[in-house]
Amino acid sequence: MRKEQRIKKNEEFSAVFNHGRSVANRQFVLYVLQKEEQEQFRLGLSVSKKVGNAVVRNRIKRLIRTVFQEKQEILLPHCDYVVIARKPTATMDYYEFHASLAHVMKKAGVSRRSSEHASKKD
């Protein structure tokens, strides 16, 4: 994931938190903010120290980025996404991670369903 696809500044995080909508399950909270002027989506990550030590937190962030890279073809491109990882993510494996994030994305309605169906037909 390229640097221009990441949300780093506090003001950008605040804008997503204050003006975006949120969806959650036990493992993740996903905030989504539509930004029509953007060509591609941007991703911000938040993993608290309560979740685990630095090694655990970095592993969680790496896995979140991997899932977003895999799903970038079906995600809405003109959005900012902020993912907050909760404590249960520390003990999850990749497949649980993928399923849980996909569940939150589906609840938020952030996938392009038409391209999803088209790719299944090919």
Side-chain angles (χ1 to χ4, degrees), residues 14 31 36 60 106 111:
S14 295
Y31 284 85
E36 293 303 323
I60 290 168
K106 185 177 177 184
S111 64

Side-chain angles (χ1 to χ4, degrees), residues 74-86:
I74 63 167
L75 287 174
L76 295 175
H78 306 291
C79 293
D80 280 351
Y81 300 99
V82 174
V83 179
I84 299 173
R86 293 179 169 170

Side-chain angles (χ1 to χ4, degrees), residues 11-47:
E11 305 88 51
E12 294 170 343
F13 274 96
S14 295
V16 177
F17 291 141
N18 294 330
H19 303 293
R21 66 185 196 281
S22 67
V23 179
N25 64 8
R26 288 180 168 224
Q27 294 85 17
F28 298 102
V29 180
L30 175 64
Y31 284 85
V32 181
L33 178 63
Q34 293 273 347
K35 288 188 142 184
E36 293 303 323
E37 68 275 3
Q38 271 179 199
E39 290 185 23
Q40 47 188 237
F41 73 87
R42 295 189 315 157
L43 177 64
L45 303 173
S46 176
V47 184

Side-chain angles (χ1 to χ4, degrees), residues 48-103:
S48 169
K49 287 185 178 181
K50 294 177 184 178
V51 174
N53 63 18
V55 174
V56 172
R57 294 193 311 270
N58 287 331
R59 177 183 165 273
I60 290 168
K61 289 187 274 189
R62 207 169 42 246
L63 287 172
I64 293 170
R65 279 190 217 104
T66 302
V67 172
F68 268 81
Q69 280 178 330
E70 288 175 2
K71 294 193 170 284
Q72 71 182 357
E73 296 300 319
I74 63 167
L75 287 174
L76 295 175
H78 306 291
C79 293
D80 280 351
Y81 300 99
V82 174
V83 179
I84 299 173
R86 293 179 169 170
K87 205 165 192 166
T89 57
T91 58
M92 292 168 61
D93 66 8
Y94 172 74
Y95 299 105
E96 293 170 324
F97 226 87
H98 191 279
S100 183
L101 258 179
H103 173 254

